[in-house]
Amino acid sequence: MPKEVKKAEDRAWDSASIETLIKAAQENVDTCFTRMDTQQHQCKFGTNGICCRICHMGPCRITSKAPRGVCGADADTIVARNFLREVVGGAAAHSDHGRHLVLLLKKVAEGKGGDYQIRDEKALRSAARMYKIEENGRSREEIALELSGLFLKEFTEQEESLKTLSLSPVKQQSIWQNQGVSPAGIDRMVVESMHRTHMGVDHDYRNLLLQSFRTALSDGWGGSRIATIVSDILFGTPTPVRSNANLGVLGKDTVNILVHGHEPELSEMLAVAVQTPEITDYAKKAGATGITLAGICCTANEILMRHGIPVAGNFLQQELAVVTGAVEMMLIDVQCCMPSLPDLAAAYHTEIVSTTDIAKTRGATHLSFDEEDALNYAKNLIKRAIDNYKNRNPQKVAIPSTSKPMVAGFSVDAIKYMLGGNFRASFRPLNDAIIQNRIKGVVGIVGCNNPKSKLDDYINRLTQKLIKENVLVLKTGCAAIASAKEGMLTPETALEQAGKGLREVCEAVGMPPILHMGSCVDNSRILEAATEVVFEGGLGDDLSQIPAVGVAPEWMSEKAVSIGCYFVASGIDVILGYPFHIGGSENVTQFLNEKTKDIFGGSFHVCEDPQLAYQKIIKLLDQKRKNLGIDKKAERKLYDMKDRRKLDVKAHLQ
Ligand code: SF4
Ligand code: MSK
């Protein structure tokens, strides 16, 4: 029996989740919140990373009486091997997602893309220029074919470093080169890391940790960046768009369909199909007033960013959405979809449909996504959900009334445009605002939720403190949804909550002080934005110098471990709301939390409380401002051509 059963108010920040948690308890259904209670006293060996089950002489556990495994591996080796395997899992997930998109781009270029097409030719041509692909006189299909070939090679390249690394500041590239962490092909990094963590191969924790950063770089500056570039080409580069967030977006009289997971291919087609007269008529014939298409997690973020499709919730709300009793169908693709969903859905009328052959869940209906006939496939799914509407049990329906308005869609292009307009799109106004201390710095708050702590609490409390202190906040993933649910993703928030300097800047350009930049794969957009700040000049010549910090307050996934590592390897300090599973090795802990500062310019910091995180962030930003000489109120220094030439950072892109 669990020792302590928490009250719903202690489990979640927002009223919609609280209401639904109470409903779940009344209906006696299990959720991750209650399962967390039954998992109390989680294994200390696992928590500290000192359980090794890499070979079958084990499993071995390190204790003071047994300081080495059967093979002789000590705590440092075991902890570092486990850590690298987590990074591998995260990098593989992001990058495999990227690979699917590249393969789709290739099909489109070959004229075999069915209902898909290149929606954003400008994004395609801009990518071609970044990778030095000839575009003049060539059709978009020819360019797309060459680009997809180049991207596929980024996965398989055996010796050369990734070409995508060249999108980073030159100094970052030379740091990676000098430290031996410039990744070759993404697939090669994943395979090599799995080899190195096999029994009896790489035993030096330092070597293993450097490989962790190398593998993570193949994600952030490889697989994830490629995924974002290709998504923009195929589905359009996001621009600011209004929408709503939280369980209250579900319709009382509409057929509710939720998309959940990460991949945008199917949800893009659903967004088209749902508007066709054939489908709306079908819904009306079934007695519904229409269809509500909404999302959970990052598939939600993908279609939110491009179509303004509402968000029903973030990671810990996936089960709560089912508990409303008002969801006809939940479509799950890859990553972050809980295996509990079909069991839970059995208590209601919701049909859980898995769509991807690499991600099946027992109890879910599996309908393999037919990419070549995507629109018809999407229509058939929606009709199936409509057919399920009659099975909704009114006695079990309770949709919370809460949903909040928001603005999302802040790609780097969109930010540039907001800052400078059509003709002067540039990061100059942002750099100037930072130099003049109207904006103290930029903080990326990213990552998941975790039932170890109250849903959204850390994320929202930290975010509020930071904007008040004139810190511009960039968000992705479930952390962005947390702010959306709190109503903090609107320009009006700037008026109410942001500090004076940040408010003035936001008002002048009409943007919110918290910018939703997309899904967790789109953390690459945060790196891109930070790189733009460096390229714009005046704030140092590499990413470690700009007043910027990354935070993963409520993280839980291996992807978050990889994201943290590629931020740190890019010179950006990262605050973690929970420590990694590394406590069993002082050496590994010291390497990640201190030594990395000397190697890359950034390191990890664990702050389990938002107030501590806030203090640490302000200290880090102040230190960076001091190092740059912009800590005192100085005359505004505009960079002239001479200054910019000294920076020598843009040359590689020309
Ligand atoms: Fe034990 Fe070594 Fe095998 Fe790990 S690799 S399970 S420490 S014997
Ligand atoms: S969905 S990885 S819970 S952000 Fe991207 Fe949310 Fe974290 Fe999954």
Side-chain angles (χ1 to χ4, degrees), residues 473-542:
V473 177
L474 310 180
K475 290 220 167 180
T476 60
C478 292
I481 299 174
S483 293
K485 289 191 288 170
E486 185 54 16
M488 289 167 71
L489 295 190
T490 59
E492 296 75 39
T493 315
L495 283 171
E496 292 160 18
Q497 299 186 31
K500 184 168 176 278
L502 178 62
R503 189 170 66 223
E504 282 169 6
V505 176
C506 290
E507 279 174 347
V509 297
M511 73 180 189
I514 307 163
L515 302 178
H516 187 336
M517 298 188 76
S519 66
C520 40
V521 137
D522 291 330
N523 281 313
S524 60
R525 293 195 203 276
I526 296 185
L527 290 182
E528 189 189 351
T531 303
E532 286 289 338
V533 169
V534 172
F535 287 171
E536 195 55 55
L539 290 169
D541 59 0
D542 79 66

Side-chain angles (χ1 to χ4, degrees), residues 211 257 273 331 362 374 549 636:
Q211 177 67 3
I257 302 172
L331 295 154
R362 232 165 50 141
V549 175
R636 182 174 161 176

Side-chain angles (χ1 to χ4, degrees), residues 287 330 358 367 520 602:
M330 183 185 280
I358 64 163
L367 297 171
C520 40

Side-chain angles (χ1 to χ4, degrees), residues 104-113 118 140-146 148:
L104 180 58
L105 179 66
K106 182 166 175 278
K107 276 191 191 165
V108 170
E110 290 168 342
K112 299 177 199 157
I118 292 163
R140 53 192 205 161
E141 285 73 22
E142 283 172 309
I143 298 168
L145 191 60
E146 188 173 341
S148 56

Side-chain angles (χ1 to χ4, degrees), residues 6-15 17-18 21 33 36 314 316 448-461 482 485 553-554 578 610:
K6 282 189 194 165
K7 285 195 287 206
E9 294 80 2
D10 297 331
R11 295 190 193 275
W13 166 286
D14 66 290
S15 62
S17 296
I18 294 169
L21 276 166
F33 297 89
M36 191 77 225
N314 47 3
L316 292 190
C448 329
N449 316 120
N450 189 325
K452 285 180 176 170
S453 61
K454 185 172 166 180
L455 166 63
D456 297 341
D457 182 273
Y458 190 139
I459 296 169
N460 285 341
R461 284 206 279 149
K485 289 191 288 170
E554 301 176 24
Y578 312 97

Side-chain angles (χ1 to χ4, degrees), residues 136-205:
N136 288 333
R138 300 179 83 191
S139 73
R140 53 192 205 161
E141 285 73 22
E142 283 172 309
I143 298 168
L145 191 60
E146 188 173 341
L147 187 64
S148 56
L150 184 150
F151 283 151
L152 286 176
K153 216 157 166 260
E154 293 286 77
F155 287 87
T156 57
E157 176 60 53
Q158 301 300 308
E159 287 167 325
E160 299 285 318
S161 296
L162 290 182
K163 290 210 165 23
T164 307
L165 299 184
S166 69
L167 306 183
S168 65
V170 168
K171 206 163 149 203
Q172 239 71 47
Q173 295 170 49
S174 63
I175 292 170
W176 298 333
Q177 199 72 41
N178 294 339
Q179 295 296 338
V181 297
S182 291
I186 301 156
D187 293 353
R188 199 201 124 182
M189 289 303 93
V190 170
V191 171
E192 183 181 312
S193 298
M194 289 306 284
H195 175 198
R196 285 167 68 163
T197 51
H198 185 276
M199 188 268 153
V201 185
D202 199 356
H203 300 128
D204 185 332
Y205 74 93

Side-chain angles (χ1 to χ4, degrees), residues 13-65:
W13 166 286
D14 66 290
S15 62
S17 296
I18 294 169
E19 277 173 45
T20 316
L21 276 166
I22 293 169
K23 182 176 188 284
Q26 284 163 352
E27 291 169 354
N28 209 16
V29 292
D30 235 11
T31 63
C32 60
F33 297 89
T34 49
R35 291 191 296 274
M36 191 77 225
D37 294 340
T38 56
Q39 285 288 339
Q40 269 186 1
H41 309 302
Q42 288 175 319
C43 170
K44 288 277 174 293
F45 295 100
T47 304
N48 289 319
I50 44 175
C51 169
C52 183
R53 44 181 296 280
I54 273 171
C55 90
H56 285 243
M57 292 190 283
C60 302
R61 308 184 307 181
I62 299 300
T63 65
S64 54
K65 285 194 185 135

